[in-house]
Amino acid sequence: MKSTKSKPRERENIVDILKKLKRGPQIITPKDSGVIIAETGLRSGMKCIDAGGGSGFMTIMLANIVAPEGKVYTYEVNPEFANIVKQNVKSCGLENIVTVKNKSAEEFREKNLDLITLDMKGSENVVSKAYDALKKGGFLCIYSPHVEQQKAAAENMIKAGFRHLKTIENIQREWQLGTHSHPHPSGVMHTGFITIGRKI
Amino acid sequence: MKSTKSKPRERENIVDILKKLKRGPQIITPKDSGVIIAETGLRSGMKCIDAGGGSGFMTIMLANIVAPEGKVYTYEVNPEFANIVKQNVKSCGLENIVTVKNKSAEEFREKNLDLITLDMKGSENVVSKAYDALKKGGFLCIYSPHVEQQKAAAENMIKAGFRHLKTIENIQREWQLGTHSHPHPSGVMHTGFITIGRKI
Amino acid sequence: MKSTKSKPRERENIVDILKKLKRGPQIITPKDSGVIIAETGLRSGMKCIDAGGGSGFMTIMLANIVAPEGKVYTYEVNPEFANIVKQNVKSCGLENIVTVKNKSAEEFREKNLDLITLDMKGSENVVSKAYDALKKGGFLCIYSPHVEQQKAAAENMIKAGFRHLKTIENIQREWQLGTHSHPHPSGVMHTGFITIGRKI
Amino acid sequence: MKSTKSKPRERENIVDILKKLKRGPQIITPKDSGVIIAETGLRSGMKCIDAGGGSGFMTIMLANIVAPEGKVYTYEVNPEFANIVKQNVKSCGLENIVTVKNKSAEEFREKNLDLITLDMKGSENVVSKAYDALKKGGFLCIYSPHVEQQKAAAENMIKAGFRHLKTIENIQREWQLGTHSHPHPSGVMHTGFITIGRKI
């Protein structure tokens, strides 16, 4: 019997659940997960791999979109983190959509994927394997806070055959509006760079 | 008989279609539509209204996510633009998901909505009506390029009962990575401000 | 007898002294004072008025440039702040260059000025007087953290006869360079807007 | 007989002259030259070296500040560019302040300098020599558009003995203020990175 939790109209909104979840220091933020979703055309029914990313926030964001027919395979090599992801996914009612594997991303065997997101050290080493696993038209998105990892990833993406590469960063400012409107004086200046490439 | 076009695995990726579509000067960009999707927890099955926004890119982005069971009602008062939206929606295979109405946003009658997005002059005047049309927990997102419209909208949102207001802007830079890594020297410095509020 | 402190080669570098000075919450930062200096062509021998700005950092920055022959007249209506400015100016060895007046900026009588900088509430009310006080080719720079004050100031500047208006903001990011190069994750997102206009 | 042009009150404002000068593609902008001036406490009477930078805009900005008693030695290895710098310096009436040398920056012999600015390929190779040429408390500022050159420069600066290193970038937005206030939609997203270090 399929859990009613996977019916989209009945699941609680993930934004309410995400607020309560345990979070590590490097959560992918809505400005970054959002641009990945919008740039790749992610939608219900798609099949994805997400690797790294600590607490599973990217996994949950992807699963929320691909549900109820799609699938996210999450690879997290650290057993403690893998457990946190599992709990967080369950809290969101997405346990039928997400399969968490406590393995290195280098071991994945899934094929015919629409999207692979990597937010982990050494993501540049999984690029070639990612290319094979994607269906034609599928996207690889690599996220990291540092220029050097993005360079290594982008270089390997070109070598592996990815095209239409685009590396972006989003600087988000929050505003206070009223009689004295101004951006908040301090805030997050940098989260990470995102490189998006496509198998064509 | 239901069109096969609405089956998500069979529709072409909207990012491929959007590139070919006719576009006006003020398309909402992936960095902005993405953050709306991520901040509101939009997902398959949800019901939305989108008003304004010229060529229908926001409508298509929302419809792509809420398909195949959800719904987007698009209000566009200009008959020529309404026609462009219809054509663009059809090009994306989303005509079963989107209903385009060549009416002012002030005339909508839909209820129990998950999300309303407004990208139009005078959006501050629709705020109270939007509040009534949303279900509990639903979001209103107002997008405009100018500080003054955002102020008027945010003020009316507070008055109408919206809470957890957040006004943001995303400054996106594209990078060139290689032996001489640098952000692109020139580009888009500003698209618009987004105010998100919630009916709680 | 003229103090040897005003000889430029003998004064200590202000950047060393500024670090030790008492500072209020709204110091004008080097990115903002620097752009004012560069945009106005400020140099040794020029005559300026600085009004507002709490601890005198802008005054000191201007005085440092216009010394040894130039002059800065600083208006600070709050007696406590005026005293802090005096002490800070003296600490920098610039007491022969700067005259601190514990008066409202609306009372200044100086004429034939090269530059007037205003960083105070109500600066829009001093604009017309500033126009008269500037020599031909002189600049007025208004700094404030809020959009509304800048609008009021800019509008009055146009009315008063100022031309070539330019309103800017500088978003400065500090970088960590090394094997993992990245902008600092958090920092100052906003200090203020600067409107520069010219008497032509 | 000393040229009257070097008397500060009699020189035309450089901002008026700079507008008319021939400029190459990579002019250092006021937001960048300004922050260098403000961060280093540059003032009348100081002695500087400027190397690279094509058309001499940085040289002129420095000379404008250090005049009438200070000095700028400009090194430009390209004879054509060196000639343009000479002409531009003369147009600004700063020919008594600036000495343009058509030589590589690696050949400079000046000592006891307050500031050295480098905006050229291979600036990382001049860092150690720059350290020796600066007086105690003097600053080295390296400007380049690319992350990699800044990394090489910063690394060599640490090795050479420079301290208090700070690498910054300024993102400047110009605003349109009025009834519809907004940042200009497009503009310069990136000019360069600035690394400032000090001989202590």
Side-chain angles (χ1 to χ4, degrees):
Chain A
M1 199 188 78
K2 204 170 175 185
S3 161
T4 58
K5 283 197 171 175
S6 68
K7 293 191 189 167
R9 295 293 296 177
E10 293 163 27
R11 278 195 287 118
E12 198 182 341
N13 192 316
I14 56 162
V15 300
D16 295 308
I17 307 167
L18 287 173
K19 278 180 210 157
K20 305 171 205 158
L21 297 184
K22 227 171 117 181
R23 54 170 75 201
Q26 282 204 8
I27 303 279
I28 194 163
T29 55
K31 74 180 176 64
D32 293 324
S33 60
V35 82
I36 289 173
I37 291 163
E39 290 275 358
T40 64
L42 192 72
R43 67 183 186 224
S44 178
M46 284 187 167
K47 268 173 65 185
C48 312
I49 282 179
D50 177 43
S55 332
F57 278 50
M58 186 67 203
T59 284
I60 289 167
M61 197 59 81
L62 300 179
N64 188 55
I65 303 284
V66 303
E69 304 297 333
K71 194 78 198 162
V72 181
Y73 303 92
T74 300
Y75 287 77
E76 175 54 65
V77 73
N78 180 315
E80 197 188 338
F81 288 171
N83 225 27
I84 292 174
V85 176
K86 272 183 202 171
Q87 288 173 34
N88 285 347
V89 164
K90 199 169 177 188
S91 300
C92 290
L94 290 162
E95 66 274 23
N96 291 330
I97 311 300
V98 179
T99 302
V100 182
K101 303 199 178 184
N102 180 206
K103 287 182 181 176
S104 159
E106 304 192 27
E107 294 181 57
F108 70 78
R109 303 241 172 281
E110 288 78 15
K111 291 282 175 193
N112 206 32
L113 297 158
D114 296 285
L115 172 64
I116 297 175
T117 55
L118 304 175
D119 175 10
M120 49 177 255
K121 280 183 193 166
S123 55
E124 64 272 22
N125 304 322
V126 193
V127 165
S128 175
K129 194 175 172 67
Y131 189 83
D132 294 336
L134 287 168
K135 60 187 260 196
K136 193 165 166 274
F139 289 92
L140 173 61
C141 295
I142 294 186
Y143 176 87
S144 83
H146 308 120
V147 172
E148 288 77 8
Q149 190 177 4
Q150 289 303 112
K151 279 173 64 174
E155 199 186 327
N156 284 4
M157 283 170 78
I158 293 288
K159 279 184 202 158
F162 286 101
R163 292 296 175 264
H164 307 317
L165 259 71
K166 191 174 175 177
T167 298
I168 55 179
E169 60 168 342
N170 286 317
I171 302 172
Q172 185 172 294
R173 294 203 302 181
E174 200 169 334
W175 278 70
Q176 185 70 33
L177 296 180
T179 52
H180 296 79
S181 304
H182 59 92
H184 285 200
S186 60
V188 175
M189 295 298 287
H190 175 68
T191 54
F193 301 97
I194 302 168
T195 300
I196 303 175
R198 198 163 192 196
K199 179 173 178 174
I200 56 172
Chain B
M1 201 189 78
K2 202 169 177 185
S3 160
T4 57
K5 281 197 171 174
S6 68
K7 293 192 188 168
R9 295 292 295 176
E10 293 162 28
R11 278 195 287 119
E12 198 183 341
N13 192 316
I14 57 162
V15 301
D16 295 308
I17 306 168
L18 288 174
K19 278 180 210 157
K20 304 171 207 159
L21 297 184
K22 226 171 118 181
R23 53 171 75 200
Q26 281 204 10
I27 303 277
I28 195 162
T29 55
K31 74 178 176 66
D32 294 324
S33 59
V35 83
I36 290 172
I37 291 163
E39 291 274 357
T40 63
L42 192 72
R43 67 184 185 224
S44 176
M46 284 186 167
K47 270 173 64 186
C48 312
I49 282 179
D50 178 43
S55 331
F57 278 50
M58 186 68 201
T59 284
I60 289 167
M61 197 57 82
L62 299 178
N64 188 54
I65 303 283
V66 303
E69 303 297 334
K71 194 76 198 163
V72 181
Y73 303 92
T74 300
Y75 287 78
E76 175 53 67
V77 73
N78 180 315
E80 196 189 338
F81 288 172
N83 225 28
I84 292 176
V85 177
K86 273 183 203 172
Q87 288 172 34
N88 285 346
V89 164
K90 197 168 179 189
S91 300
C92 290
L94 289 161
E95 65 274 23
N96 291 330
I97 312 300
V98 179
T99 302
V100 182
K101 303 197 178 185
N102 179 206
K103 288 183 180 176
S104 159
E106 304 192 26
E107 294 182 55
F108 70 77
R109 303 244 171 278
E110 288 78 16
K111 291 281 175 193
N112 206 30
L113 297 158
D114 295 284
L115 173 64
I116 297 174
T117 55
L118 305 175
D119 175 10
M120 49 177 255
K121 281 183 193 167
S123 55
E124 64 273 22
N125 304 323
V126 192
V127 165
S128 175
K129 194 174 173 66
Y131 189 82
D132 295 336
L134 286 168
K135 60 186 261 195
K136 194 166 165 271
F139 289 92
L140 172 63
C141 296
I142 295 186
Y143 176 88
S144 83
H146 309 120
V147 173
E148 288 76 10
Q149 190 177 4
Q150 288 304 112
K151 278 173 64 174
E155 199 185 327
N156 285 4
M157 284 170 78
I158 293 287
K159 280 185 201 157
F162 285 101
R163 293 296 174 262
H164 308 315
L165 259 71
K166 191 174 174 177
T167 299
I168 55 179
E169 61 168 341
N170 287 316
I171 303 171
Q172 184 172 294
R173 295 203 300 181
E174 199 168 336
W175 279 69
Q176 185 70 33
L177 296 179
T179 51
H180 296 79
S181 303
H182 59 91
H184 284 200
S186 61
V188 176
M189 295 298 286
H190 175 68
T191 53
F193 302 97
I194 303 167
T195 299
I196 304 175
R198 200 164 191 194
K199 178 173 179 174
I200 56 172
Chain C
M1 198 188 80
K2 203 169 177 184
S3 161
T4 58
K5 282 197 172 174
S6 69
K7 293 192 187 167
R9 294 292 296 175
E10 294 162 28
R11 278 195 288 119
E12 197 181 343
N13 192 317
I14 56 162
V15 300
D16 296 309
I17 306 167
L18 288 174
K19 279 180 212 158
K20 305 172 205 158
L21 296 184
K22 226 169 120 183
R23 54 171 73 200
Q26 283 203 7
I27 304 278
I28 195 163
T29 55
K31 72 179 177 66
D32 293 324
S33 60
V35 82
I36 289 172
I37 292 163
E39 290 275 357
T40 63
L42 192 72
R43 66 183 186 226
S44 178
M46 283 185 168
K47 268 173 65 185
C48 314
I49 282 180
D50 178 43
S55 330
F57 278 50
M58 186 66 202
T59 283
I60 289 167
M61 196 60 79
L62 299 179
N64 188 55
I65 303 284
V66 302
E69 303 298 333
K71 194 77 197 165
V72 181
Y73 303 93
T74 301
Y75 286 77
E76 173 54 64
V77 74
N78 180 314
E80 197 189 338
F81 288 171
N83 225 28
I84 292 175
V85 176
K86 273 184 203 171
Q87 288 173 33
N88 285 347
V89 164
K90 197 168 179 189
S91 299
C92 291
L94 290 162
E95 65 275 24
N96 290 331
I97 311 301
V98 179
T99 302
V100 182
K101 304 199 176 183
N102 179 205
K103 287 182 182 177
S104 160
E106 303 191 28
E107 296 181 56
F108 70 77
R109 303 239 172 281
E110 289 78 15
K111 292 279 175 194
N112 206 30
L113 297 159
D114 296 284
L115 172 64
I116 297 175
T117 54
L118 304 175
D119 175 9
M120 49 176 255
K121 280 183 193 166
S123 55
E124 64 272 23
N125 304 322
V126 193
V127 164
S128 175
K129 194 174 172 68
Y131 189 84
D132 294 336
L134 287 168
K135 60 188 261 198
K136 193 165 165 275
F139 290 92
L140 172 61
C141 296
I142 295 187
Y143 176 86
S144 83
H146 310 120
V147 172
E148 287 78 7
Q149 191 177 5
Q150 288 304 113
K151 278 172 64 172
E155 198 185 327
N156 284 4
M157 285 171 77
I158 293 287
K159 280 184 201 158
F162 286 101
R163 293 296 174 262
H164 308 316
L165 260 70
K166 190 174 175 177
T167 299
I168 54 178
E169 61 168 341
N170 286 317
I171 302 172
Q172 184 171 295
R173 294 204 301 181
E174 200 169 335
W175 278 70
Q176 185 70 33
L177 296 179
T179 51
H180 296 79
S181 303
H182 59 92
H184 285 199
S186 60
V188 175
M189 294 298 287
H190 175 69
T191 54
F193 302 96
I194 302 167
T195 299
I196 304 175
R198 200 164 190 193
K199 179 174 179 173
I200 56 172
Chain D
M1 199 188 81
K2 203 170 176 184
S3 162
T4 56
K5 282 198 173 175
S6 69
K7 293 191 188 168
R9 295 292 296 178
E10 293 163 28
R11 277 195 287 121
E12 197 181 342
N13 193 316
I14 56 162
V15 302
D16 295 309
I17 307 167
L18 288 174
K19 278 180 212 157
K20 305 171 205 158
L21 296 184
K22 226 170 117 181
R23 51 171 75 199
Q26 283 204 6
I27 304 278
I28 195 163
T29 55
K31 74 179 176 68
D32 293 325
S33 61
V35 82
I36 289 172
I37 291 163
E39 290 275 356
T40 63
L42 193 72
R43 67 182 186 226
S44 176
M46 284 186 167
K47 268 174 63 186
C48 312
I49 282 179
D50 177 43
S55 331
F57 278 49
M58 185 68 202
T59 283
I60 288 166
M61 196 60 80
L62 299 179
N64 188 55
I65 303 284
V66 303
E69 304 298 333
K71 194 77 198 166
V72 181
Y73 303 93
T74 301
Y75 286 79
E76 174 54 67
V77 73
N78 180 314
E80 196 189 338
F81 288 171
N83 225 28
I84 292 175
V85 176
K86 272 184 203 171
Q87 289 174 33
N88 284 347
V89 163
K90 198 169 178 187
S91 300
C92 291
L94 289 162
E95 65 275 24
N96 291 331
I97 312 300
V98 179
T99 303
V100 182
K101 303 198 178 184
N102 180 207
K103 287 182 183 178
S104 160
E106 304 192 27
E107 294 182 57
F108 69 76
R109 303 241 173 281
E110 289 78 14
K111 292 281 175 192
N112 206 31
L113 297 159
D114 296 284
L115 172 64
I116 298 175
T117 55
L118 304 175
D119 174 10
M120 49 177 254
K121 281 183 194 167
S123 56
E124 64 273 22
N125 304 322
V126 193
V127 165
S128 175
K129 193 175 173 69
Y131 190 84
D132 294 337
L134 286 168
K135 59 187 262 196
K136 193 166 165 276
F139 288 92
L140 173 62
C141 296
I142 295 186
Y143 175 87
S144 83
H146 308 120
V147 172
E148 288 77 9
Q149 190 177 4
Q150 288 304 112
K151 279 173 64 173
E155 198 185 327
N156 284 5
M157 284 171 78
I158 293 286
K159 279 184 202 157
F162 286 101
R163 293 296 174 263
H164 308 315
L165 259 71
K166 191 174 175 178
T167 299
I168 54 179
E169 60 168 342
N170 286 317
I171 303 171
Q172 185 172 297
R173 295 203 301 182
E174 200 169 334
W175 278 70
Q176 185 69 33
L177 296 179
T179 51
H180 297 78
S181 303
H182 59 93
H184 284 200
S186 60
V188 175
M189 295 297 288
H190 175 69
T191 53
F193 302 97
I194 302 168
T195 299
I196 303 175
R198 200 164 190 194
K199 178 173 179 174
I200 57 172

